[in-house]
Every structure is written in C-alpha cells, then in structure tokens.
Amino acid sequence: MTMQIKEIILYNKQGDIRKIPFETGKVNIITGKSKTGKSAIIEIVEYCLGRSEFLVPEGIIRKTVTMYGLKLQFNEEELFIAKSPPEGNNQSQNRVYFEIGKDIKPPELSEIIPNSNDEGLIDYLGSFIGISPNLNVPKASESRNPLEANYKHSRLFLFQKQSVIADESILFHRQKEPFMPQTIKDVLPYFLGAVREDHLKLEAELRTTKRELKILKKRQIEAELLSTSGSTKAQNLLDEAKQVGLIEESFYANNQEELIQRLKKALLWKPSGILGIEVSQLEKLREKRAHHLEQLNDIIEQIRAAESYASEASGYSKQGNEQRLRLESIALFNEEPNDESCKCPLCSSILEGKIPKIENMTNSLRRLNTNLQAVVREQPKLRNYIESLENEKEAKKQLVNNYSKSIEALIHEQEVAREIEDLNRRVSRVVGRISLYLENYQEVQKENELQGKVRATESHIEYLEGLLDQEKKEEILSSILSRISKYMTEWAKELALEHSDAPYRLDIKNLTVIADQEERPIPMNRMGSGENWLGCHLISHLALHKYFIQKNRPVPSFLILDQPTQVYFPPEKYDTMEGDIEELNDEDRKAVKMMFDLLFKVCKELYPNLQIIVLDHANLQDDEFQSALVEKPWRSGRALIPSDWL
C-alpha cells in the first residue's frame, strides 16, 4: 500500500490554478536557479499533510497564493487536500478541505470549503495507510509520558531540507526542534516493525490473565488450607449457625458428610421481613405535635393574661370600695354649701379660696360607685372565659400527649426493625461464610482440575511476556538495523564514501550514521567533508524506505530531497551558475553522477513503490536525468509562481 504525490496545486486570488505534476514510482526532478520557489515545496507538502504551522517563506509565494493543494495517489484512489494560509499575522491554522475518489479534478476555489481540521486529517491519513493503535511506554526510570506514533510522526522520514541534507550534526527532518530527537527515537521502532502491531492488545490480555492467575492461586491456597482443616472449619461454622438461630441447638452431626449436608440446607435461609417505617410518617407526626404544642402555649399565654387582668380588676374594686365607704361614713357633703362661702366644713375657718362644689364631690363619688358596679358585673364573665380557656388547654394537652405516644410507638417500631435487620445481617454473614466454605469444599474435590488451570494460566502469561519482552524487542530492532546496515554499506561503496571499506549502520540511540572501522566506530560528524555527510543522509533514508516498503510499514512511499548537490557547487558561485554539471571539476561531476545513478537505481529496484522528488540546482545533460524533469528548468522567468500571477 503506497501513498505518493500526484500533484501540487496552487490557487491565486482570482481562482487561477498552477499545477506541478509528479509521476508515481519514479524519480521526479525540479531543477532551477535559487529563489524560484523550489525549497518552498517541502513546506507546502508538509502543510497540506496536516502540519498547522505555516512555514512557507515570506515573499512572492505568500503574496500571490491564496490556497495550497495536494493530490495524493493511494493505490487505486486519489486524495485531494487543500488548506488556506493563516489569516492576518497568525502563524498557523488547522482548517482543511479533503476529498477521496478516483480521477479527482481539483475543485474551483469557490468550491473549497473546509470540512475538517488537521487533527481529523492526521487520524484519517493514519488509518488510510494502516497505522495501528500503539504506545511507546518509557522505562520506569524515565519521566516522559507514553507516546503513540501517528501519521504526523511518519512525516519525519519523508523530507530532507536544504539545511538538513548535508548537516553533520543531525540526520532527520525537524531533529533540531525541542523534544523531537526523543520523539524520533520513540516512534522509529514502531515504524520499523520492532513493536508488534497487536502490542496494546497483548498488554491488555496480559493484565487480565495475571488477574485471573491471582484469583486462581487464592482459591488454590484456600483449598489447600481447607483440605487440612476442613472438619474444624465446618464445626466452627455449625456453632456460629446455632448462635444466630440458623440451625437448631439440638442438631448433632455423626460424620463429615452429614455436617456438610446440614450446612447446605442452611443456605436456604431467607431474611426475615422487616416492616419498613417511612421517615416521612414520623416527620408528619412530629410536625403536627409541634403545631398543637404551639397552640397549647398560646392558650396558656391567654389564660395568664386573663388571670392577670382579673387580679388587677379585683384590686381596683377593693381599693375603690374602701374609699367610698370612708366618704359615705362622714357624710360631709350631704348639704350643698353657699357658693360664696369660704369656710372650711371641718373647722369652720375662713379659707383664702373657694372650696370645690359639693356637687363635684358627689359626682365623683357617683362615678366611683358606677365603676365599682361594672367591675363586679364583669368578674363572672372573666371567670367563665378563663374556665373555657382551661378546658381548651386540657384538650390540647391531651392531643399533644396522643401525638407524643404515637411518635414513641413509631420509634420503638424502628428500634425493633433495626434489631431484626441486625439479626439478618449477622445471619447473612454466617450464611456467606458457609457458602464460601462449601464452594472451596467443592474445589478441594476438584483440586487436580484447579491445579491444571493454574499451570495453564501461568504458561499463557509466560507466552505473552515472551511476546512483549523488551529484550526481545531490542533483539528484533537490532536484527532490522542489521538488514538496513547491509543496504547502507552497499550504497556507501557505490558513492565511494570515506570509510566505505567498513560497515555503515544507523545509530538510533544517537540519531546518526556510524562507520564501524576496526579501530573504533566513526560517527558521521567526525567523517569530515560535506560529501560524506550528504552520502550518510542519502543511504540512511533510502535504506529506511527500502525496509518500510519491503515490510509494508505504514509510512508514505515518497522522499523529497532539497538541494542534494549543494556540496558540489561552490557557495560563492551557486546563484550565478546554471547548474550544468560541466561547470564542476571531474571528481565532483563523477560524485554528482553517482548520486543520481543511485537514486534512479533504488527507485527502479522498488518500482512502483517508491517516489523520489529532487529539488536541485543541478541540471545533468543525460537522457535519464532529463526524462525525470517535472517541468522545464526554472530559469528565464519560469518558477513555482507563474510570471502572469505577479
């Protein structure tokens, strides 16, 4: 199953379309001068494959292109993907449009409406090429989180940018970014197939099987204990059953079998029914009692007020009578004196002012008599009122008392229910222990069968652990790297790299290439010369893709190389040279020719499963190179962006 690039499609603001077509299963070359947009192709492809960061260089491309598209070939189907650049000053955006079908015609610009996002696209592409659920779990001594390899990680093996392809310190795309070296180390074993596709499933099965073994061993231990102390345990359970009334006190077992049969009968016990007391019923009674108690208190308060009033009225009557009797006894004002008289009626002395009229005195005495008579008349009514309140108070007290008794009765019923429930719980515990004992008793009878299950489970765990063994994973990975090393060594000789007399290998631990000389291993950064660094990048990535294809691993089957010949063209003349191989010295011409010959050879060997796209300055004048050109060289106004778009 191969995924390769069919077309790169660009749209300008007017809806015009620029297509760059590629042939699948072959070497595709875009050659031209610098600053014609060749290096932007990697950024465009990666952006359309679900990378949210927009890294297309500033300049003409950003100013003219309003939509970036990519058409992929996947077996018999095509997948069209389109993304617009971020708006304003944003550095990323994740909205994406994609469709799948056969012979897809790129839609008009107005028809491209995002229908997903980068995360959805990555999940879809991952399932499309067959990335299965996986998880790289670090060692217990390492603090990083587990990592699941997905489609975006496969992109790390698809690109060799101009700044990477001849760098002696790094080997992979994006390797200089923070945390990326460890990510590459974690996901590469999965993409190479050193990690089983069903790894997660096997781990889950192993956990389940270990739990089953733990349960079986516990049952086995209980069975062994039971076989040595079975009679004592059964007798103890019988005594417990008698204590809770589960078995009658008079029962006596003549033998073990009789005892077991009686314990089995005890399992037929059913808990006693408990009359449920609704909490709401008790609360209603309490609320009613509280209501009547409040009314009772109101009546008592009314009685107290009435009695207080009666007491005050009685005191007034007593005092008023005393005063009336005193005045009447001396009969001072029987005759009305002369209005002009100023004599005192007691001592006949002449007073300075006039004495009050006797009539006024008499009127006051009359009012006093009237008030006293009113008080005397009201006293029987007040006493009747107080008496009615007393009767009402007694009736209310009786009602409150009745509610109190009802509440006490319910509480008592609850206590009885709790006692029954407690007894049920005690009996239930005994029944549970009897049930467990009898189950284990049956296991004792089947001890050989239980031991067989334990042995079979232990054997299955050993088998699963063997499949998941980390050391075995390392052995598989070592074997894979050995095969990759074989390809690398062969191609190092074809490119005449330094130390090519020694085996070349890929060092995953340090993410570099090593030549294993007899004296000592020589890593890429100590080999010297850009030609050797370039060669290490080429042979390692070609070897990886050859292995990916041979083992049908879930990695897209294309490799994009940006400016691989830069090490042969002098930097100070690079922009002015036309890229003609004749401009190089004999040794460099030979090296460039060997490099392209290797690319053509590997692509033919793996046809139609590998596509190589080369973006370069060089323009070799031989038939094979010229037939691989995607378009005429990007010179004399030809470039990624058509001149009429400017």
Side-chain angles (χ1 to χ4, degrees):
M1 300 175 75
T2 59
M3 177 180 285
Q4 299 178 8
I5 299 175
K6 195 75 177 290
E7 283 182 326
I8 292 175
I9 303 149
L10 307 178
Y11 296 78
N12 67 6
K13 295 178 182 178
Q14 288 72 39
D16 298 329
I17 296 177
R18 161 79 160 114
K19 295 181 181 179
I20 301 97
F22 298 93
E23 289 194 62
T24 59
K26 295 183 179 180
V27 175
N28 293 259
I29 301 173
I30 296 178
T31 182
K33 295 179 65 175
S34 62
K35 301 179 182 178
T36 53
K38 297 189 302 296
S39 296
I41 286 179
I42 286 181
E43 305 296 356
I44 292 170
V45 171
E46 190 173 19
Y47 183 62
C48 290
L49 289 179
R51 186 172 186 183
S52 298
E53 293 86 355
F54 185 65
L55 301 177
V56 172
E58 295 284 352
I60 292 174
I61 302 174
R62 285 201 181 206
K63 290 178 181 178
T64 56
V65 179
T66 192
M67 184 69 67
Y68 298 85
L70 183 69
K71 187 192 288 188
L72 299 173
Q73 181 76 43
F74 185 75
N75 294 339
E76 301 301 321
E77 294 183 297
E78 292 181 346
L79 180 65
F80 176 75
I81 304 168
K83 289 182 69 177
S84 60
E87 297 178 356
N89 295 322
N90 294 329
Q91 301 300 313
S92 64
Q93 79 92 9
N94 67 354
R95 294 172 301 163
V96 61
Y97 168 87
F98 72 93
E99 64 171 298
I100 186 169
K102 291 186 177 180
D103 300 321
I104 295 177
K105 181 181 178 182
E108 297 294 328
L109 179 62
S110 59
E111 297 173 351
I112 300 176
I113 301 173
N115 55 11
S116 186
N117 55 28
D118 286 336
E119 185 177 349
L121 177 65
I122 287 169
D123 288 343
Y124 184 80
L125 292 174
S127 62
F128 212 53
I129 64 174
I131 295 180
S132 60
N134 64 89
L135 196 67
N136 176 73
V137 181
K139 296 177 182 177
S141 59
E142 298 173 347
S143 59
R144 67 184 188 279
N145 294 325
L147 177 67
E148 181 178 8
N150 58 37
Y151 185 85
K152 69 180 179 182
H153 297 121
S154 72
R155 300 193 309 244
L156 300 172
F157 313 111
L158 305 181
F159 308 111
Q160 286 283 283
K161 296 175 69 173
Q162 181 179 0
S163 58
V164 174
I165 198 166
D167 192 325
E168 78 278 17
S169 62
I170 61 173
L171 187 61
F172 293 99
H173 178 56
R174 299 181 62 186
Q175 186 176 330
K176 281 188 175 180
E177 296 181 17
F179 310 110
M180 197 55 70
Q182 188 59 57
T183 297
I184 297 171
K185 296 174 190 178
D186 287 344
V187 301
L188 187 52
Y190 168 76
F191 287 113
L192 287 172
V195 178
R196 295 178 58 97
E197 294 293 325
D198 56 354
H199 186 83
L200 286 182
K201 177 185 175 183
L202 291 175
E203 281 190 333
E205 185 178 352
L206 179 61
R207 287 193 297 270
T208 303
T209 309
K210 283 184 174 180
R211 283 196 295 268
E212 291 176 359
L213 179 62
K214 188 175 181 181
I215 294 170
L216 286 172
K217 284 192 170 182
K218 183 178 179 182
R219 287 166 58 186
Q220 188 180 37
I221 292 171
E222 290 172 347
E224 289 172 355
L225 291 173
L226 193 61
S227 64
T228 57
S229 59
S231 299
T232 305
K233 180 70 173 176
Q235 188 60 50
N236 290 339
L237 288 172
L238 178 66
D239 293 340
E240 287 186 39
K242 287 181 177 181
Q243 289 176 7
V244 296
L246 189 59
I247 295 176
E248 57 276 11
E249 287 283 347
S250 59
F251 175 78
Y252 176 78
N254 295 311
N255 51 54
Q256 177 77 1
E257 190 59 33
E258 189 176 339
L259 177 56
I260 294 297
Q261 292 302 320
R262 187 62 188 89
L263 290 176
K264 285 182 178 179
K265 287 178 65 177
L267 296 181
L268 301 175
W269 170 84
K270 300 294 181 185
S272 303
I274 302 173
L275 181 62
I277 306 298
E278 290 189 12
V279 176
S280 59
Q281 184 181 357
L282 186 61
E283 289 301 319
K284 286 179 182 177
L285 288 174
R286 284 175 171 161
E287 288 176 3
K288 288 181 179 180
R289 185 182 69 170
H291 175 69
H292 289 292
L293 194 59
E294 185 178 351
Q295 290 181 338
L296 176 62
N297 290 333
D298 289 342
I299 294 170
I300 292 173
E301 193 62 36
Q302 291 176 26
I303 292 173
R304 187 179 294 113
E307 288 180 342
S308 174
Y309 176 76
S311 175
E312 291 175 0
S314 176
Y316 171 79
S317 176
K318 181 179 179 183
Q319 291 295 328
N321 272 323
E322 288 180 359
Q323 296 301 326
R324 180 180 63 79
L325 291 173
R326 287 178 185 152
L327 292 173
E328 288 179 348
S329 64
I330 58 176
L332 283 176
F333 307 107
N334 289 334
E335 296 179 1
E336 185 176 335
N338 187 351
D339 291 341
E340 302 299 329
S341 175
C342 293
K343 290 183 179 180
C344 175
L346 298 176
C347 61
S348 299
S349 60
I350 302 299
L351 300 176
E352 294 181 359
K354 296 180 179 180
I355 63 174
K357 292 184 178 181
I358 293 176
E359 181 183 0
N360 293 342
M361 293 284 195
T362 303
N363 289 338
S364 294
L365 184 59
R366 189 178 297 114
R367 284 196 300 273
L368 180 59
N369 279 328
T370 302
N371 289 341
L372 288 173
Q373 290 173 4
V375 169
V376 171
R377 282 196 307 271
E378 292 299 327
Q379 278 183 342
K381 295 180 181 179
L382 187 59
R383 180 50 51 196
N384 289 337
Y385 174 67
I386 292 173
E387 187 175 344
S388 67
L389 287 177
E390 287 288 350
N391 293 335
E392 190 176 347
K393 181 183 78 171
E394 290 302 321
K396 194 62 72 175
K397 282 176 69 176
Q398 184 63 38
L399 191 57
V400 170
N401 189 45
N402 291 340
Y403 278 117
S404 296
K405 289 179 179 179
S406 298
I407 291 171
E408 289 176 3
L410 277 179
I411 292 174
H412 177 69
E413 288 180 22
Q414 282 185 329
E415 291 174 352
V416 171
R418 278 196 292 268
E419 288 176 3
I420 296 173
E421 188 178 2
D422 182 58
L423 179 60
N424 283 342
R425 277 198 296 267
R426 290 173 57 200
V427 176
S428 295
R429 282 195 291 269
V430 175
V431 170
R433 284 196 288 272
I434 292 173
S435 176
L436 179 62
Y437 169 81
L438 293 176
E439 287 176 10
N440 290 332
Y441 183 81
Q442 296 300 321
E443 293 294 345
V444 172
Q445 315 307 313
K446 302 177 183 178
E447 187 172 354
N448 292 335
E449 182 182 342
L450 183 60
Q451 289 176 350
K453 286 183 180 179
V454 170
R455 285 195 295 269
T457 306
E458 288 175 336
S459 177
H460 189 53
I461 288 174
E462 186 177 346
Y463 168 73
L464 292 173
E465 288 178 337
L467 294 177
L468 296 169
D469 185 18
Q470 181 67 23
E471 291 184 4
K472 191 169 183 179
K473 171 187 169 184
E474 296 296 335
E475 289 178 7
I476 295 172
L477 183 59
S478 178
S479 175
I480 293 170
L481 293 177
S482 178
R483 294 182 61 181
I484 291 174
S485 173
K486 181 181 176 182
Y487 308 144
M488 293 173 63
T489 302
E490 176 188 340
W491 296 333
K493 290 178 181 178
E494 291 187 26
L495 293 177
L497 298 183
E498 194 175 353
H499 313 292
S500 59
D501 57 326
Y504 271 66
R505 62 182 169 89
L506 180 63
D507 181 4
I508 290 184
K509 183 177 179 182
N510 298 298
L511 298 181
T512 189
V513 172
I514 291 180
D516 285 317
Q517 288 284 11
E518 290 185 5
E519 300 83 7
R520 63 185 180 277
I522 300 175
M524 179 174 64
N525 62 351
R526 293 215 307 268
M527 289 182 185
S529 92
E531 184 179 349
N532 286 315
W533 304 332
L534 168 66
C536 288
H537 282 256
L538 290 178
I539 63 175
S540 59
H541 281 76
L542 289 174
L544 281 172
H545 276 273
K546 182 174 181 178
Y547 188 84
F548 292 152
I549 291 167
Q550 287 177 334
K551 297 301 179 181
N552 197 27
R553 299 304 301 157
V555 178
S557 304
F558 66 85
L559 177 63
I560 304 181
L561 308 173
D562 186 16
Q563 311 295 347
T565 66
Q566 61 183 296
V567 299
Y568 302 106
F569 288 88
E572 65 275 6
K573 297 182 180 180
Y574 188 83
D575 289 342
T576 59
M577 296 174 71
E578 290 298 316
D580 192 335
I581 193 170
E582 298 302 325
E583 300 176 16
L584 304 176
N585 59 45
D586 291 344
E587 194 172 319
D588 287 346
R589 277 202 305 272
K590 182 180 177 181
V592 171
K593 183 70 166 61
M594 287 191 300
M595 180 189 72
F596 279 102
D597 285 347
L598 177 63
L599 297 180
F600 285 116
K601 173 191 169 183
V602 173
C603 218
K604 288 177 182 177
E605 179 186 339
L606 299 174
Y607 180 83
N609 297 316
L610 178 62
Q611 178 187 50
I612 298 176
I613 298 175
V614 182
L615 315 169
D616 209 284
H617 183 75
N619 185 16
L620 278 64
Q621 299 303 315
D622 68 42
D623 293 341
E624 192 169 37
F625 187 96
Q626 292 298 314
S627 65
L629 292 179
V630 171
E631 296 180 337
K632 289 183 178 181
W634 289 359
R635 305 178 190 280
S636 304
R638 287 186 295 271
L640 177 66
I641 303 301
S643 58
D644 58 355
W645 282 22
L646 303 179

